[in-house]
């Protein structure tokens, strides 16, 4: 795929059929084979998994075929097949990682509550109900 | 196969649509357009936290609100078969007009165009839409 008209322009055609990691705007990580793209960076991911990281642990959830709407993509990168096998992380079961994720989220929420409380006491109402706004994502 | 073409081939298949606000819609795809607007039928809507559910016979989703769609694996398999069949047909015809064997046909084309598609100098039936005639080999 060496088209001269694409010389020096950012494009995704070189990534077709490679194993990619895609980071979405909501913070989720998808890994799959890129089968197709268009001018909006809409993606088709084949044999995709969702990988959840908590600390040094991760878990994979098989998800199948994704059509990702381009505007939700933050970045994508090729997975290095050689380095993939000796990650400095350890894989755990889906249940375990979901559990860990839930605990992490609860911890974050607690901390957020403390911060808002402290700010309120100092007469600052930061973020208010912004965090609950649906369009944050 | 562009992402939106894949979506079109996924018509009448079950799929999961997640919106940017985290709500998910499970249903069968009825139709879609170039803006990714879609019609679903027999829909189950799930709230962002996965704790509330709504059933509805049909719904319309504006494309710009979509985060991603998950489609069944067999849709990709369908596409693979389709493109294989198409390619086979192309090989038998000797490519898409790029081959050396096609040169001679190209020369006669301007004349053919002036005659409303009646090929070359052979006298054919008169009228705008002459009945289809089998070419003699």
């Amino acid at each position: 795929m060496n088209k001269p008209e694409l010389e020096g322009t950012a494009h995704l055609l070189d990534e077709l059929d490679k194993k990619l990691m895609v980071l979405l705007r909501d913070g989720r990580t998808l890994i799959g084979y890129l089968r197709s793209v268009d001018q909006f960076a809409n993606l088709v991911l084949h044999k995709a998994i969702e990988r959840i990281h908590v600390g040094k642990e991760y878990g994979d959830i098989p998800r199948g075929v994704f059509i990702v709407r381009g505007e939700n993509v933050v970045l994508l990168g090729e997975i290095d097949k050689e380095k993939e096998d000796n990650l400095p992380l350890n894989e755990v079961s889906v249940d375990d990682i979901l559990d860990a994720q839930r605990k992490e989220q609860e911890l974050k929420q607690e901390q957020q509550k403390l911060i808002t409380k402290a700010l309120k006491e100092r007469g600052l109402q930061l973020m208010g109900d912004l965090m609950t706004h649906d369009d944050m994502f | 196969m562009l992402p939106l073409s894949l979506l079109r081939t996924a018509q009448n298949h079950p799929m999961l649509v997640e919106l940017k606000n985290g709500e998910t819609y499970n249903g069968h795809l009825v139709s879609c357009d170039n803006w990714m607007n879609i019609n679903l039928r027999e829909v189950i809507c799930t709230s962002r936290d996965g704790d509330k559910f709504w059933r509805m016979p049909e719904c319309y989703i504006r494309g710009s609100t979509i985060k991603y769609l998950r489609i069944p694996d067999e849709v990709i398999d369908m596409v693979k078969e389709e493109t294989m069949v198409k390619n086979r047909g192309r090989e038998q015809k000797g490519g898409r007009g790029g081959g050396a064997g096609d040169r001679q046909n190209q020369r006669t084309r301007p004349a053919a165009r002036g005659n409303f598609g009646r090929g070359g100098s052979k006298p054919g039936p008169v009228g705008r839409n002459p009945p289809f005639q089998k070419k003699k080999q």
Side-chain angles (χ1 to χ4, degrees):
Chain A
M1 197 73 68
N2 273 326
K3 293 188 176 174
E5 67 269 22
L6 292 173
E7 196 69 42
T9 57
H11 61 97
L12 291 169
L13 299 176
D14 292 335
E15 317 301 324
L16 282 175
D17 291 324
K18 286 182 184 162
K19 193 175 185 182
L20 294 185
M21 188 213 78
V22 180
L23 179 65
L24 299 185
R25 243 163 39 154
D26 64 4
R28 272 189 269 189
T29 307
L30 306 177
I31 296 175
Y33 293 89
L34 185 69
R35 295 298 187 213
S36 172
V37 292
D38 63 13
Q39 72 269 40
F40 307 112
N42 292 330
L43 314 173
V44 174
L45 286 179
H46 191 203
K47 297 177 181 167
I49 55 161
E50 181 177 341
R51 181 162 288 180
I52 299 173
H53 293 272
V54 179
K56 291 238 166 210
E57 290 179 334
Y58 72 90
D60 293 340
I61 310 172
R63 294 294 198 198
V65 182
F66 271 93
I67 301 175
V68 183
R69 194 174 160 90
E71 43 177 335
N72 301 292
V73 175
V74 176
L75 63 88
L76 35 82
E78 190 179 347
I79 298 265
D80 191 328
K81 283 262 161 69
E82 284 167 23
K83 288 180 184 164
E84 193 185 6
D85 296 327
N86 41 24
L87 293 172
L89 310 167
N90 34 328
E91 184 170 1
V92 297
S93 75
V94 176
D95 286 339
D96 287 352
I97 202 69
L98 286 174
D99 225 35
Q101 192 187 35
R102 191 170 41 79
K103 278 180 191 145
E104 192 191 39
Q105 272 169 357
E106 281 167 4
L107 197 72
K108 262 187 194 161
Q109 272 173 5
E110 284 302 313
Q111 284 172 339
Q112 194 58 46
K113 262 185 205 165
L114 286 176
I115 290 172
T116 19
K117 198 180 156 216
L119 286 170
K120 229 176 186 173
E121 285 167 1
R122 290 160 177 77
L124 293 164
Q125 202 130 19
L126 192 68
M127 305 295 270
D129 53 2
L130 244 183
M131 288 307 282
T132 59
H133 204 282
D134 277 351
D135 287 343
M136 281 295 282
F137 294 113
Chain B
M1 190 70 169
L2 295 171
L4 284 168
S5 316
L6 182 70
L7 186 59
R8 211 164 298 129
T9 44
Q11 275 173 1
N12 297 319
H13 286 266
M15 61 176 57
L16 178 147
V17 183
E18 178 158 332
L19 305 190
K20 288 175 183 166
N21 65 15
E23 285 173 16
T24 58
Y25 290 77
N26 276 284
H28 285 71
L29 183 67
V30 176
S31 52
C32 59
D33 63 15
N34 285 340
W35 293 275
M36 214 187 267
N37 301 326
I38 55 172
N39 276 111
L40 296 176
R41 66 176 158 79
E42 290 153 48
V43 194
I44 298 175
C45 169
T46 309
S47 67
R48 182 221 278 270
D49 301 326
D51 53 355
K52 289 199 257 343
F53 304 91
W54 295 268
R55 281 192 58 183
M56 39 195 137
E58 54 192 314
C59 80
Y60 173 86
I61 298 175
R62 185 177 155 97
S64 65
T65 65
I66 294 173
K67 189 188 294 171
Y68 61 72
L69 311 105
R70 283 176 54 201
I71 60 173
D73 284 349
E74 62 247 32
V75 178
I76 283 231
D77 299 336
M78 275 166 54
V79 171
K80 269 186 194 155
E81 278 166 31
E82 229 170 78
T83 45
M84 279 221 288
V85 171
K86 264 188 201 159
N87 285 341
R88 213 172 296 145
R90 220 168 264 160
E91 271 163 33
Q92 278 166 2
K93 276 185 215 154
R96 256 206 300 178
D102 229 31
R103 287 277 148 71
Q104 240 160 6
N105 291 338
Q106 269 173 4
R107 226 175 277 150
T108 64
R109 222 168 260 166
R113 217 175 269 153
N115 280 337
F116 293 112
R118 260 191 298 133
S121 55
K122 264 188 211 160
V126 197
R128 273 200 170 233
N129 295 309
F132 178 76
Q133 278 196 320
K134 226 180 188 179
K135 254 193 197 162
K136 278 171 203 155
Q137 291 289 352

